[in-house]
Each structure stands twice: as C-alpha cells, then as structure tokens.
Amino acid sequence: MIPPQEASARRREIEDKLKQEEETLSFIRDSLEKSDQLTKNMVSILSSFESRLMKLENSIIPVHKQTENLQRLQENVEKTLSCLDHVISYYHVASDTEKIIREGPTGRLEEYLGSMAKIQKAVEYFQDNSPDSPELNKVKLLFERGKESLESEFRSLMTRHSKVVSPVLILDLISGDDELEVQEDVALEHLPESVLQDVIRISRWLVEYGRNQDFMNVYYQIRSSQLDRSIKGLKEHFRKSSSSSAVPYSPAIPNKRKDTPTKKPPKRPGRDDMLDVETDAYIHCVSAFVKLAQSEYQLLADIIPEHHQKKTFDSLIQDALDGLMLEGENIVSAARKAIIRHDFSTVLTVFPILRHLKQTKPEFDQVLQGTAASTKNKLPGLITSMETIGAKALEDFADNIKNDPDKEYNMPKDGTVHELTSNAILFLQQLLDFQETAGAMLASQVLGDTYNIPLDPRETSSSATSYSSEFSKRLLSTYICKVLGNLQLNLLSKSKVYEDPALSAIFLHNNYNYILKSLEKSELIQLVAVTQKTAERSYREHIEQQIQTYQRSWLKVTDYITEKNLPVFQSGVKLRDKERQMIKERFKGFNDGLEELCKIQKAWAIPDTEQRDKIRQAQKNIVKETYGAFLHRFGNVSFTKNPDKYIKYQVEQVGDMIDRLFDTSA
C-alpha cells in the first residue's frame, strides 16, 4: 500500500501537470484563432490587390499599344526622310563634283578619287532605279571625263618623273664591290615615293573601277624608252671616256673597280683601241640590261596587276633587248667580214663578249621568266651565232697559218722571227684568257670528229655546249697543236725562199726558239702538253738541228785549215814551191771565207740574247781552236816573203770578229 501522504503528493503533482496542459491547450486555441483571422485578412487584401491590378492592366495595355504604333510611325517617317535625302543626294552629285573633276586630280588625288567614288555610286543608282533619267547620262559623262583625267594624270606622272639612269649609277649597280658594299645596297629610285604611291592608287582604281588597260600600254612605252635610253647612255659614256686615262670597271675583268684610277692597258698588237672600247661598252651594256630589267620588274610589280605583269614586262624590255641582240649580231657580222679578210685579231672581240654572255645567261634566264618563248630564245640564239662564228674563225685561222703564201718580199732579210709566227703565237696566247669559251666553241661544232678525239659519253650531254671542261680542254689543246703544226710546216716552206742554207737555218732557229720561249712563258706549254707530252723536247731538238745546220756554213772556212787537208812536210826541210803555194792558198781561203761570212752574217739577227751568245761562243770555240792549231803549225814556216799578207789575223782577232756576228750595230 502507498502511504497516504505520498499518494496525496502524487495527486497534487498530477493535477498541477494537468492544469499546465490545459493552459497550453488554451494558448494554442487562441493562437489558431488569431492565425485564422490574419489569414482571412491577408486573403482579403490580396483579393483586393488583384482586382486593382486587373483594373490597371485593362487601362495601361491600350495606351502601350498606341505608343508602340506611334514609335513605329515615327521610325518609318525618319527612314523615309533618310531615303529621300539619299536619293536627292544623287541628283546633286553632278553639281557637287563637276568643279573637282574639271580641275583634275593633280595635287589632290585623294579628294579626286573620293569624288569619283560618289559619281560611280550615282551611276549605279540611276542605272538600277531610273535608267531613263537624264541624270544618268550626266553622271556617266562626268565619270568618263574623270576617268580620262586619271589616265592623263597617270601618263603625266610617269612622263615627268621617269628619268634616265645615269651611267655612273649604272656602273655602281653592276660593280658589286665586295669590300665596301654589297651589290643589293645599290638601289634605284625610278620614281619618288610620293609619286609612286599616286601612280599605284591610280593604277588600282583604273583596274578596279575604270575597267581600263590602256594605262598599261602607256606604262610600258614610257618605261621602255627610259630603259633603252639608259643603256644607250652607258654606251655613249664609254665612247666619251675612251680618251681618258681612267678605265671603267669591266665585268669581263675580275676585281677591277670602276672608280679606281688606272693606267690605260697596253694596246694589244693588231687590235684597235676603239674596238676594245666597243667591246667593253657592249659587255657593260649586257650587265646593265640585266640589272635595270630586274629593277624595272620590281617597279612594275607594284603598279601593274599581277596577271598582266609578265606580258607588260615582256613588252617593256623589247626595245632594249632587241638593241642588244642587234648589236651582238652586228659584232658577229663584223667578225664574219674580218675572217674573210684574215683579220683574226678583230675576231677576238667575240671571245670576251661570248664569255660574258654565257656567264650572264643564268641571270638573263631568271629575269626573262614568264616572258614569251621568242624573248627567252634571243640570248641563246646570239650565243649560238657567236659560238659558230668563233669556231669558224678558229678553223680559218688554222688554215690560214697553213696556207700563208711564201712571198719573198715578205721574208725578213735578217732571218729573224716571221710576222706569221708572232701573230700566231699572240693569237694563241690571247686564247688563254678564254680557254673555256674557245673550247666550248670547238665543242659546239663537234670538232672532236675532226681531230679524231674519242668522245666519252660521260663528257657530253644532250647539248654540244655542255661538254665537260676536261674534254673542251683536250679539244683546245689539240687545236693549238694543229696550229703549231701548220705553222711549223709553213715555216719550213718559207725557209726555202732563202738561197743561203745557213740563213734558212737561222730563220728556222729564230722562229722555233720564239715559239718555244713563248710557250714556256705562258700556260700554252701546259695546254699543249695535255695532248702532246713531248712537244717541248721536240722543239729543242728542232732548234739544235738548225744550230748544227748553221754551223756547217763555217766548214767552207775551216776546211781550208783543218789538219786533214794540210800538206805534210819534214821540219827543217826547205818547202817546195807547190807546198808554199798550198799554204798560201789555205791562208787566203780562210781569210777570204772568214771575212765574207762575217760580213754576211753580221747583218743576220738572233733576237734571243742567250741563244745569240750561245751560238757565237760555240762557233768561236770551233774556229779559234782550228785556226789556232793551223797558225801554230804554219805561222813560223817560211812559205812567203810577205807573211803579213797571209797571216792577217791572230786567234783573238778571229774571236772578236765572230763576236760581232748577228749584230747590225757592231
């Protein structure tokens, strides 16, 4: 059982909790009632706000739509007004621009092109919208007048500002001095920059809007004239400078600066100074053409539309190129005439020109890229002509050496070197400067068959001018040997003109010695040795043979006093009359022979000092030895009452007489 006190306490506790729960429940009920009331109030407010919004919307929407319509109407009005202004502006273009067009574009190209743009747009508008309008004809006429003015301005700018390039500037352009400047640093300003920009703008406008190509013809005609005049001016500069002491730079002579004062080169025997000037001038003009044409193309590329550049350039260079080719053909023609009259020194002008043309050909080909085939073929055609005439000259020269007539009046009376020999050697020496050129000439005519030189397939290509340098060298060596062989045969024939075999021997000796020394002093001996290893030895043998032949001329002198022809007698025994007479005859024969030979041979010549001394010394030794022995044997023999009549010379006197041989000044 729970104690009463504890149960009573427990009941009070439960009653207190119940009372608290009732109070809480009552509070919740009051809160819910208040919440319901607030909700009802909020719903009422929202319903009222919704009703008001609906009323506002019903009032505003019509106003908004009306405003939208008004804005659209305003925009349409503005657009219409703008279009009207735009259209009306086309009707004013003619009057607004007529003065500018009439006055032309000079000095205000930008403004002028702006006016032309307005006129063009007016033309397009009237063509699209009012093709029958009189305004269309008006703006069309104005446009055409403006286009003509631009064409005229293009011509005027090109004419006024295109200048001939001075010879000095051209020489700078082609010199390419490696020490002071590179070749690319020398630039040409054909047109001032401001003028160039105007020309470019007009050109582009005429192509894009003017639908006109006539200005391209104007361009190439003006520039063609300047190019041609520049090259002719350079040629004239050489002619005027020919009498001065300075030698302009020549592309044919490496490492020669145009601005370096030099002495005039020694005149080549058989060559004309003016001929050298013309040759150098032509070589320079060829180089000038290449450089100026390159520069012209660079200028043209800025002005002429790309798809017209090659054709315009082709037309531009024709006059200058044709002038060069014509002059080249004239050189070929002159060489052909020179060959006919056997003036082979003149033909040599072809060699430096041909060499330079072949050296320049790669640059030529590059410059002429894209031009017509007829243009590209001009230089190869000239090269072929020069190679042909050069080969003809070489062959005719060899034949001329062989067939030069043995004219007695043309023979040197003193037996010295014949003009034919010196000319032949000079010609061959001059070929040394053009070995590759001369070899290619011979190869181009397939002269290998002529000289029986076997052709190695490795030495040739599809073109005769593409023979290997080694083959060309062998061919040139064979040619030189042929010339020397022809010369030797002709000299042998000429030597027979002399009645005196000794003079004939001296003549051959002099010529053979001259040939050998000339070969040795130059590279000719090495070139000859390519195909004839023993040539040098052979000439020395020929020279020695002629010396021996000459020495035999003294036998008629020494034979009088040689021991085998002397009388035999006993010492101390009185000579018989016959023996005395024989001794007298020996002395007299020797004396007369010595005097005669010395008198004759004193007028002969041996130009080579070394050979002259050698021959005189050898002859002196022989004669002095023989005469000394004879004099020793008979000088003290009583064979005459008047010994001075027969013993006219002492041994040393004989030597002195021989020392004066071959010396007309003695």
Side-chain angles (χ1 to χ4, degrees):
M1 293 263 324
I2 299 173
Q5 289 180 346
E6 187 176 342
S8 176
R10 183 79 176 266
R11 186 171 52 248
R12 281 194 303 270
E13 183 180 350
I14 291 171
E15 287 174 354
D16 289 339
K17 285 185 179 181
L18 180 62
K19 186 178 180 180
Q20 288 177 354
E21 291 295 332
E22 286 176 350
E23 288 176 354
T24 300
L25 180 60
S26 176
F27 175 77
I28 291 172
R29 283 194 186 105
D30 290 341
S31 296
L32 284 174
E33 287 176 358
K34 289 179 180 179
S35 178
D36 287 343
Q37 186 62 40
L38 289 172
T39 299
K40 287 177 182 180
N41 291 339
M42 181 58 70
V43 169
S44 176
I45 292 170
L46 289 174
S47 297
S48 174
F49 183 71
E50 183 180 5
S51 174
R52 291 180 180 182
L53 279 178
M54 287 180 66
K55 288 179 181 181
L56 182 61
E57 184 178 349
N58 291 336
S59 300
I60 291 299
I61 286 176
V63 174
H64 175 71
K65 288 182 178 179
Q66 188 176 8
T67 303
E68 249 186 358
N69 291 335
L70 288 172
Q71 287 177 340
R72 192 177 298 111
L73 286 173
Q74 184 180 2
E75 289 175 0
N76 289 338
V77 169
E78 289 175 352
K79 287 180 180 178
T80 302
L81 290 173
S82 177
C83 287
L84 285 173
D85 289 340
H86 183 66
V87 170
I88 291 171
S89 69
Y90 288 129
Y91 285 87
H92 292 291
V93 165
S95 59
D96 291 344
T97 59
E98 186 174 7
K99 182 182 179 184
I100 296 175
I101 299 303
R102 183 174 64 251
E103 293 176 352
T106 304
R108 51 174 181 179
L109 181 62
E110 194 68 32
E111 180 185 7
Y112 193 89
L113 291 178
S115 296
M116 289 298 292
K118 292 178 183 179
I119 297 171
Q120 183 184 5
K121 288 180 181 179
V123 170
E124 293 171 354
Y125 171 80
F126 288 121
Q127 283 177 334
D128 293 340
N129 299 282
S130 184
D132 298 327
S133 169
E135 291 296 327
L136 176 59
N137 292 331
K138 188 181 293 185
V139 291
K140 269 188 172 181
L141 288 173
L142 201 57
F143 184 82
E144 289 301 319
R145 189 190 306 167
K147 184 171 73 171
E148 290 173 2
S149 293
L150 284 171
E151 293 170 353
S152 178
E153 179 71 1
F154 182 89
R155 179 188 292 273
S156 176
L157 288 173
M158 290 299 303
T159 303
R160 283 188 288 118
H161 296 283
S162 290
K163 305 296 183 184
V164 173
V165 183
S166 71
V168 173
L169 188 54
I170 294 176
L171 290 172
D172 282 336
L173 187 67
I174 63 180
S175 64
D177 192 300
D178 293 330
E179 295 179 3
L180 301 181
E181 59 187 3
V182 293
Q183 190 167 321
E184 288 72 17
D185 286 343
V186 182
L188 294 179
E189 184 184 69
H190 294 292
L191 298 172
E193 184 61 28
S194 60
V195 174
L196 176 60
Q197 293 307 316
D198 284 351
V199 168
I200 292 172
R201 291 213 58 190
I202 295 174
S203 165
R204 291 176 180 173
W205 190 93
L206 289 172
V207 171
E208 187 173 356
Y209 303 111
R211 306 289 190 269
N212 184 294
Q213 296 181 8
D214 291 344
F215 78 93
M216 299 180 199
N217 296 332
V218 171
Y219 177 86
Y220 91 69
Q221 289 167 1
I222 293 173
R223 294 307 308 169
S224 175
S225 174
Q226 300 304 322
L227 174 61
D228 193 39
R229 289 170 60 194
S230 296
I231 293 175
K232 288 178 178 176
L234 178 63
K235 184 177 180 181
E236 188 62 27
H237 172 75
F238 268 84
R239 287 175 175 170
K240 290 180 179 178
S241 302
S242 61
S243 59
S244 67
S245 60
V247 180
Y249 157 80
S250 172
I253 306 174
N255 301 323
K256 176 88 71 171
R257 288 187 56 192
K258 74 158 186 65
D259 54 348
T260 301
T262 60
K263 294 182 179 179
K264 291 189 72 173
K267 182 178 178 180
R268 299 174 185 172
R271 290 292 299 278
D272 183 84
D273 282 338
M274 281 307 298
L275 202 59
D276 287 338
V277 170
E278 293 293 330
T279 300
D280 287 342
Y282 186 73
I283 286 172
H284 279 81
C285 287
V286 169
S287 294
F289 172 82
V290 172
K291 297 302 180 185
L292 291 177
Q294 289 172 342
S295 182
E296 285 292 343
Y297 195 84
Q298 292 171 359
L299 177 66
L300 175 144
D302 289 332
I303 298 172
I304 304 300
E306 184 175 359
H307 55 289
H308 291 287
Q309 289 174 3
K310 296 295 184 183
K311 183 179 179 181
T312 305
F313 180 70
D314 198 338
S315 300
L316 189 157
I317 62 173
Q318 284 304 314
D319 285 350
L321 181 58
D322 286 345
L324 282 178
M325 295 302 106
L326 177 60
E327 192 171 348
E329 290 297 341
N330 288 340
I331 291 170
V332 171
S333 178
R336 189 176 289 111
K337 293 176 182 177
I339 291 173
I340 294 173
R341 62 178 184 268
H342 295 163
D343 180 10
F344 296 101
S345 62
T346 300
V347 181
L348 284 171
T349 59
V350 171
F351 286 74
I353 292 173
L354 177 57
R355 179 175 66 183
H356 188 64
L357 288 179
K358 295 178 82 169
Q359 289 172 344
T360 314
K361 186 176 181 297
E363 286 186 275
F364 246 99
D365 293 342
Q366 186 176 7
V367 169
L368 300 183
Q369 278 183 355
T371 57
S374 59
T375 302
K376 293 177 182 176
N377 291 334
K378 287 180 180 179
L379 180 64
L382 178 59
I383 288 176
T384 299
S385 295
M386 287 195 169
E387 283 192 328
T388 301
I389 200 65
K392 170 71 173 169
L394 291 175
E395 280 304 288
D396 280 24
F397 177 77
D399 292 340
N400 185 65
I401 293 296
K402 181 179 181 180
N403 301 317
D404 185 71
D406 306 325
K407 297 178 181 178
E408 185 173 351
Y409 65 84
N410 197 36
M411 294 294 291
K413 298 186 182 305
D414 58 359
T416 190
V417 178
H418 196 280
E419 184 181 12
L420 180 69
T421 302
S422 57
N423 287 345
I425 294 299
L426 176 62
F427 185 86
L428 295 180
Q429 286 175 335
Q430 290 174 338
L431 284 185
L432 285 175
D433 294 333
F434 310 101
Q435 292 186 41
E436 292 184 8
T437 304
M441 283 179 177
L442 297 170
S444 70
Q445 302 302 306
V446 199
L447 294 179
D449 292 338
T450 303
Y451 297 137
N452 297 316
I453 295 180
L455 298 180
D456 188 326
R458 293 171 296 181
E459 295 180 321
T460 63
S461 70
S462 58
S463 170
T465 57
S466 298
Y467 286 101
S468 72
S469 58
E470 188 60 34
F471 175 73
S472 296
K473 189 174 183 179
R474 287 197 289 127
L475 198 55
L476 183 58
S477 172
T478 304
Y479 170 78
I480 292 173
C481 291
K482 176 183 177 181
V483 171
L484 293 175
N486 289 349
L487 177 61
Q488 186 173 336
L489 290 173
N490 198 313
L491 290 172
L492 279 171
S493 178
K494 289 182 185 304
S495 69
K496 296 174 183 176
V497 171
Y498 295 112
E499 295 180 0
D500 190 333
L503 181 55
S504 178
I506 290 297
F507 170 76
L508 289 177
H509 163 273
N510 284 334
N511 282 271
Y512 292 156
N513 184 65
Y514 177 84
I515 293 171
L516 178 59
K517 289 296 177 64
S518 299
L519 293 178
E520 290 176 334
K521 286 179 182 177
S522 64
E523 296 177 16
L524 280 172
I525 193 66
Q526 289 92 340
L527 200 52
V528 167
V530 171
T531 53
Q532 284 198 10
K533 306 291 186 186
T534 61
E536 185 176 357
R537 185 180 68 190
S538 177
Y539 272 109
R540 295 194 186 282
E541 290 174 353
H542 288 321
I543 292 169
E544 191 58 38
Q545 287 173 3
Q546 299 311 317
I547 292 175
Q548 292 174 7
T549 301
Y550 162 75
Q551 288 176 340
R552 284 197 287 272
S553 69
W554 281 85
L555 291 177
K556 62 182 179 181
V557 176
T558 57
D559 275 353
Y560 282 105
I561 57 175
T562 52
E563 188 172 351
K564 64 179 181 179
N565 295 324
L566 295 179
V568 179
F569 59 89
Q570 295 179 353
S571 177
V573 178
K574 185 178 180 181
L575 296 175
R576 293 174 294 177
D577 291 343
K578 182 178 180 180
E579 292 172 336
R580 287 196 296 271
Q581 185 61 32
M582 181 177 290
I583 294 172
K584 291 177 183 179
E585 290 176 354
R586 298 298 181 214
F587 270 108
K588 186 176 186 304
F590 173 79
N591 293 335
D592 291 347
L594 175 67
E595 291 168 357
E596 181 185 4
L597 277 188
C598 286
K599 180 181 179 182
I600 293 173
Q601 294 185 8
K602 177 173 176 281
W604 295 356
I606 299 179
D608 187 321
T609 305
E610 183 181 348
Q611 284 291 311
R612 183 170 64 239
D613 292 345
K614 173 185 173 183
I615 291 172
R616 286 196 301 210
Q617 187 62 45
Q619 198 59 54
K620 187 167 63 173
N621 291 342
I622 295 171
V623 176
K624 284 177 66 177
E625 182 181 351
T626 306
Y627 182 63
F630 177 77
L631 196 61
H632 177 73
R633 185 170 181 180
F634 295 102
N636 296 320
V637 174
S638 179
F639 65 92
T640 178
K641 295 179 180 179
N642 188 12
D644 291 341
K645 178 181 178 180
Y646 296 98
I647 308 175
K648 295 173 65 174
Y649 304 104
Q650 295 302 313
V651 174
E652 290 306 317
Q653 287 180 295
V654 171
D656 291 342
M657 292 173 70
I658 295 175
D659 276 337
R660 290 192 290 272
L661 298 179
F662 316 117
D663 187 358
T664 56
S665 63

